[in-house]
Amino acid sequence: MVVTELMMRHWPLFGLRVRTPRLELRYPTDEDIAEIAERSVTEEVHDPSTMPFTVEWTDVAPPLQQRFSMQHHWSNRATWTPQKWICPLLTTVDGRIIGMQGAGAENFAITRTANTGSYLLRPFHRQGSGTEMRAAILHLLFDGLGAEYAETGAWSDNAASLGVTRALGYEPQGTKRLVSRGVARDQLTFRLPRATWEARRRDDIAIEGLAPCLALFGVIPDAPASTDAVTDGS
């Protein structure tokens, strides 16, 4: 899908970029969505004997998994409002997709709090990308959007995710008892305050194309609808 100037004008997220020395986060096109949906099946996201997600989307058999993944991304786009949004960003290295890093929030303008989630395709596990992509989304949230808190969670046996969370300075918040694959499991929850992020903030992460997106995130008021084109039909 070629992103045109008209598309960028009305959906500026297509121009959003977060760059670190190692990788880039960017908003996905439809072609990107199809590619990551397919490669999540062919390259896998995790060991099938485990389930790192609260939504068990990787247990869905192909081709429904790919179709549902695409519908999920389209739904996030279609239902986005400044009051409630989910922003999935592709993680790329040298232009190649290696995973996704997302953030979501409700009433961000008031709470200044967002949740993050991510996954990497299995060939790119254990290469430090998980920590780098989380650092990138945190930079977007805190430096770009003015967040006060970032929150996340992981199953108690998800050592990789917990390692990233602890390395970046999150504070434990508690434990939730949830159901996964029909059994009870403990999910650990964490919060990163702005002051902790500020003390560790990096100067080598850059954000591009954010200004036109701020109203979508609820950071600045959206433009009021014009009444010039409204008629009564008479």
Side-chain angles (χ1 to χ4, degrees), residues 185-198:
R185 296 176 68 188
D186 287 335
Q187 184 185 76
L188 309 183
T189 61
F190 299 85
R191 171 183 277 187
L192 180 66
R194 183 178 186 86
T196 304
W197 175 82
E198 288 277 9

Side-chain angles (χ1 to χ4, degrees), residues 1-4 7 11 14 27-33 77:
M1 182 177 82
V2 176
V3 178
T4 66
M7 293 170 64
W11 198 248
F14 284 124
Y27 191 80
T29 65
D30 281 357
E31 282 82 357
D32 294 328
I33 290 169
R77 192 184 295 169

